[in-house]
Amino acid sequence: MPEYSTINLHPSSHPISSLKTHTYDVICIGSGWAGRVTAARVVKAGLTAVIIENELVGGDCPFWACVPSKVLLRSNETLEAAKAVGGAKERIIGDGVDVEGLFKRRDQMTAGGDDGQVLVPTVESSGAHLVRGTGRLVGVKRVEVKSWNGETVELDAVHAVVLCTGSHPVVPDVPGLNEANPWFPRDATSASKVPEHLVILGAGAVGCEMATAYLSFGATVTLITTSKEILPKIDPEAGKLVRERLVNRNMQFYLSTEVVRVTREATNSVKVELSNGEVISATEILVAAGRKASTSGLGLDIFGLSTDGSAIPVDESLCVEAVPNRWLYAAGDINGRSPLTHMCKYHGRIASQAIIAAARGTPRPHKDLDNTSAVADHAGIPQVVFTDPIVASVGLTRTMALAVGKSVREITAPVKTVGAMIHADGYQDGWAQWIVEDGSNKLLGATFVGSDVTDLLHASTVAIIGGMRLEQLAHAVPSFPTLSEVYLNLLEAAGF
Ligand SMILES: Cc1cc2nc3c(=O)[nH]c(=O)nc-3n(C[C@H](O)[C@H](O)[C@H](O)COP(=O)(O)OP(=O)(O)OC[C@H]3O[C@@H](n4cnc5c(N)ncnc54)[C@H](O)[C@@H]3O)c2cc1C
């Protein structure tokens, strides 16, 4: 894959002149998952839609985020899985992953940064129209599109405009950081060479996943975070288990530490000064310090909305309530509710259903589980962090439950089952936790840590969204010999 800085983000197809009409039922600004799902679903319901995109069609996920990052992690996961099974491990030749081979696989999976291979045909086959350029609100239901060659056009929406412009990295206010030309996540996921020593600023999912990946490529990795534990949005025990495993693999962590200055000393040399007085010399620094909503230049100011990167407030149908007459929606990362790809797809589903219902004049039921309310944003956001070990979590953590005044208890159990023993010799660090509401015995949250725990999560997600009590879960019998038998361990720990 060409390095990020050399990729043409503005291909010449789908110019403004290719538009056959300037009026659409629905206009989506941004072609990430949120925009594509919204547009495809309204078209399926018989409305017309156009997507405006100012970079690669597809947004972050297929080119720079989920897909390449997971491909970069997968080879080592596979290797480690084989190493833990007698009869397979004896056949492994050589040490570590083949970095060149996995970069090649990443390039295939991301189509080398060419959106014409998969993403453009996907949009076209959905029946939505596509135009390349920057979208900006210029009036009620009116959007201006400005292309990179300076051509402009104004489009009108009959029913709705949906803002799906995603998010972009936060740049912490650290002296020298910008001037040091740091890596951002796009550089880390598209790189084709491995820095000898990578310093990572930030311990959220992106920072920790990239740390795990680059460690497996043979880099020395140092992670610096102001938080007390890594993965601060997840239960601290999960963060601790991941950190301990990575420390065993010689990774260095600085917790509760600030970076106070960064200096680029040469192409491959960066000096990082810390709040504890230490100075680290590294090859590259990756900034993974969170994300903010992509709101600038969208014309939001004419409707009195903030453009400083704060999330756009929306109601349960993802409609921007502050703008009268319910024609402006914000779906995906831009509304800050649940910035994850599967939740962006969910937002596309909810927003499109709300728009279709409004277009048909059918009243929206406004009930808890109706199909135009994004209730999962509150009750059960699932997330998998593909570190080593993997962390899969859904719903409320203890801290979140207490913050909303719920009285809860924590149930923990090891991921120790016959299935786990068959899965891998010495299945390591497997840990499971449920957060259960006192009194009702309803499941409110779940966290699983270990290898291959990703698919344990959905059963807990279903139980949380379904409002299931442990008395009911006790009759959901997991198959033998699967990792799912950890559910029996949790039930036993809960007294069932
Ligand atoms: C390294 C990394 C790894 C990740 N891994 C995962 C993962 O494993 N699982 C997961 O669930 N999530 C993951 N995420 C998060 C996930 O990528 C995002 O939640 C998701 O891509 C956001 O989708 P979206 O549709 O909101 O926006 P985006 O995909 O960002 O799409 C927005 C699009 O809008 C365009 N745009 C912006 N402004 C304008 C404008 N004015 N006019 C026209 N177009 C505009 C942009 O160019 C962009 O193409 C990861 C994120 C990162 C950074």
Side-chain angles (χ1 to χ4, degrees):
M1 184 162 179
E3 300 259 317
Y4 170 60
S5 55
T6 65
I7 287 181
N8 175 17
L9 296 176
H10 311 293
S12 57
S13 77
H14 302 83
I16 286 173
S17 55
S18 68
L19 287 173
K20 295 198 173 59
T21 172
H22 293 168
T23 304
Y24 289 89
D25 289 321
V26 180
I27 298 174
C28 295
I29 309 182
S31 70
W33 274 108
R36 296 201 310 284
V37 172
T38 308
R41 290 182 74 104
V42 297
V43 168
K44 206 168 170 196
L47 303 179
T48 59
V50 64
I51 299 180
I52 304 165
E53 174 54 58
N54 71 356
E55 286 190 346
L56 294 187
V57 172
D60 250 7
C61 169
F63 297 110
W64 324 109
C66 326
V67 172
S69 61
K70 265 69 273 176
V71 174
L72 294 181
L73 287 154
R74 181 63 191 152
S75 305
N76 193 56
E77 269 170 29
T78 311
L79 195 59
E80 289 302 313
K83 274 189 198 162
V85 181
K89 66 180 172 201
E90 293 80 1
R91 293 290 190 215
I92 296 171
I93 305 160
D95 273 339
V97 291
D98 169 16
V99 178
E100 222 170 282
L102 74 84
F103 281 159
K104 207 161 141 196
R105 180 164 187 258
R106 185 266 324 269
D107 296 350
Q108 282 161 358
M109 298 291 287
T110 54
D114 175 6
D115 63 6
Q117 292 192 24
V118 177
L119 274 303
V120 169
T122 304
V123 172
E124 285 176 333
S125 64
S126 76
H129 289 189
L130 183 62
V131 62
R132 294 198 194 258
T134 303
R136 179 170 72 97
L137 294 167
V138 288
V140 173
K141 297 191 195 174
R142 177 161 286 198
V143 179
E144 177 201 77
V145 186
K146 187 171 189 178
S147 74
W148 285 89
N149 63 17
E151 216 184 331
T152 62
V153 70
E154 287 189 6
L155 303 180
D156 289 305
V158 177
H159 297 296
V161 176
V162 193
L163 307 172
C164 309
T165 53
S167 61
H168 57 277
V170 165
V171 187
D173 190 14
V174 173
L177 182 61
N178 257 327
E179 297 73 15
N181 197 16
W183 272 13
F184 288 101
R186 286 187 175 196
D187 301 290
T189 55
S190 65
S192 291
K193 54 180 190 283
V194 180
E196 214 172 289
H197 183 177
L198 179 65
V199 165
I200 300 179
L201 204 166
V206 173
C208 289
E209 286 184 350
M210 287 302 96
T212 308
Y214 276 83
L215 201 60
S216 75
F217 305 161
T220 299
V221 180
T222 305
L223 191 145
I224 302 157
T225 176
T226 50
S227 57
K228 281 196 236 136
E229 187 48 271
I230 64 167
L231 300 172
K233 291 189 182 151
I234 301 173
D235 190 279
E237 180 63 19
K240 181 170 155 263
L241 287 167
V242 173
R243 182 170 49 78
E244 285 173 352
R245 178 79 70 85
L246 292 173
V247 165
N248 283 340
R249 289 173 58 190
N250 292 327
M251 194 170 135
Q252 200 177 14
F253 288 90
Y254 288 88
L255 304 179
S256 306
T257 305
E258 274 178 51
V259 173
V260 294
R261 176 172 292 280
V262 178
T263 315
R264 171 71 60 185
E265 304 211 295
T267 313
N268 283 328
S269 171
V270 66
K271 187 168 92 178
V272 183
E273 296 171 53
L274 307 182
S275 51
N276 64 4
E278 285 185 51
V279 178
I280 301 170
S281 286
T283 323
E284 275 304 339
I285 179 164
L286 163 64
V287 179
R291 302 184 68 82
K292 58 183 180 177
S294 297
T295 50
S296 79
L298 266 182
L300 296 172
D301 37 339
I302 62 173
F303 297 102
L305 294 165
S306 150
T307 57
D308 64 357
S310 40
I312 298 196
V314 288
D315 69 9
E316 291 311 294
S317 296
L318 311 178
C319 184
V320 183
E321 268 187 318
V323 175
N325 299 322
R326 304 190 65 78
W327 60 271
L328 188 63
Y329 290 75
D333 279 14
I334 189 173
N335 66 32
R337 288 167 66 118
S338 47
L340 290 158
T341 282
H342 40 280
M343 301 310 285
C344 295
K345 291 160 82 173
Y346 173 67
H347 282 184
R349 185 148 49 93
I350 299 296
S352 60
Q353 280 157 179
I355 293 165
I356 294 162
R360 287 179 179 156
T362 39
R364 296 177 315 111
H366 279 303
K367 279 197 227 110
D368 233 15
L369 284 176
D370 78 63
N371 68 1
T372 60
S373 294
V375 290
D377 284 350
H378 313 293
I381 301 171
Q383 175 170 19
V384 177
V385 185
F386 292 79
T387 38
D388 172 25
I390 286 170
V391 179
S393 64
V394 59
L396 302 185
T397 60
R398 255 176 319 180
T399 315
M400 288 157 125
L402 296 177
V404 293
K406 289 201 183 284
S407 167
V408 294
R409 67 189 190 284
E410 176 195 21
I411 291 156
T412 61
V415 183
K416 204 172 191 177
T417 68
V418 174
M421 283 160 55
I422 294 172
H423 184 80
D425 301 335
Y427 190 95
Q428 287 181 59
D429 297 342
W431 179 79
Q433 179 208 50
W434 269 347
I435 299 297
V436 177
E437 186 174 40
D438 286 331
S440 74
N441 247 2
K442 279 186 184 172
L443 187 63
L444 299 182
T447 301
F448 299 93
V449 181
S451 39
D452 264 10
V453 294
T454 46
D455 291 323
L456 292 180
L457 194 62
H458 195 56
S460 287
T461 307
V462 171
I464 291 168
I465 295 294
M468 283 179 82
R469 292 175 292 118
L470 296 197
E471 287 78 359
Q472 294 166 296
L473 270 169
H475 296 281
V477 182
S479 300
F480 179 85
T482 63
L483 285 187
S484 294
E485 284 198 308
V486 67
Y487 277 84
L488 295 182
N489 300 355
L490 284 163
L491 283 164
E492 198 176 326
F496 285 83

